[in-house]
Amino acid sequence: MAKLAVLHHEEGVRVDPDCLVALYAELGEAGAERVLSRAMEELNARLTEMQRFVDEGRTAQLTRSARLLVKVAEQIGMPSFARVADDVVRATEVGDHAAQAATLARLIRIGDRSLNAVCDLRDLTV
């Protein structure tokens, strides 16, 4: 009987705590919390939207959403999330559908883990 390999995608996620500290120092606790909450909502919304754009073949909108993700992720200290979102942009721009699907799947995995990591760091500051 043939054996089926099971791949487990465990990727390290890095949240830049210095960026969060700077955000809190600049905006104060209430302001930083508002920015983080809005940013996390935006990231979630864009990820959902990007999946829909792929299904609908709307590459220009997919690229725009991925670029917005890069900016938001960089703002709140999520460099791995920003880097993979940029990979989605590049794969989409060159028309490599396999790479686009793979990087989007990776972005979703990293997005989930990154958002959880930011939540965990926020819980430590309270």
Side-chain angles (χ1 to χ4, degrees):
M1 178 179 285
K3 291 190 178 191
L4 179 64
V6 177
L7 301 176
H8 298 280
H9 299 285
E10 294 291 327
E11 303 195 51
V13 170
R14 185 166 124 51
V15 175
D16 183 359
D18 292 337
C19 182
L20 292 177
V21 168
L23 196 62
Y24 276 82
E26 181 181 332
L27 303 175
E29 185 174 339
E33 287 293 323
R34 279 192 303 275
V35 166
L36 285 172
S37 292
R38 276 184 287 173
M40 292 172 69
E41 287 173 10
E42 181 74 17
L43 293 173
N44 273 325
R46 294 288 167 224
L47 284 172
T48 301
E49 163 181 278
M50 288 170 68
Q51 290 176 315
R52 189 178 76 246
F53 291 153
V54 167
D55 293 342
E56 296 170 356
R58 297 169 60 189
T59 57
Q61 292 85 351
L62 174 65
T63 301
R64 185 181 75 68
S65 288
R67 284 191 175 122
L68 287 170
L69 276 182
V70 170
K71 289 179 183 178
V72 173
E74 287 174 341
Q75 178 188 14
I76 62 171
M78 300 169 100
S80 55
F81 195 163
R83 187 181 65 251
V84 177
D86 190 53
D87 291 342
V88 171
V89 170
R90 286 185 283 148
T92 302
E93 287 178 338
V94 298
D96 187 338
H97 299 293
Q100 179 190 54
T103 54
L104 183 57
R106 183 172 183 222
L107 181 64
I108 291 166
R109 286 192 309 271
I110 287 176
D112 289 341
R113 295 191 67 203
S114 294
L115 292 171
N116 287 333
V118 169
C119 285
D120 291 346
L121 283 175
R122 286 171 67 193
D123 290 343
L124 292 175
T125 63
V126 174

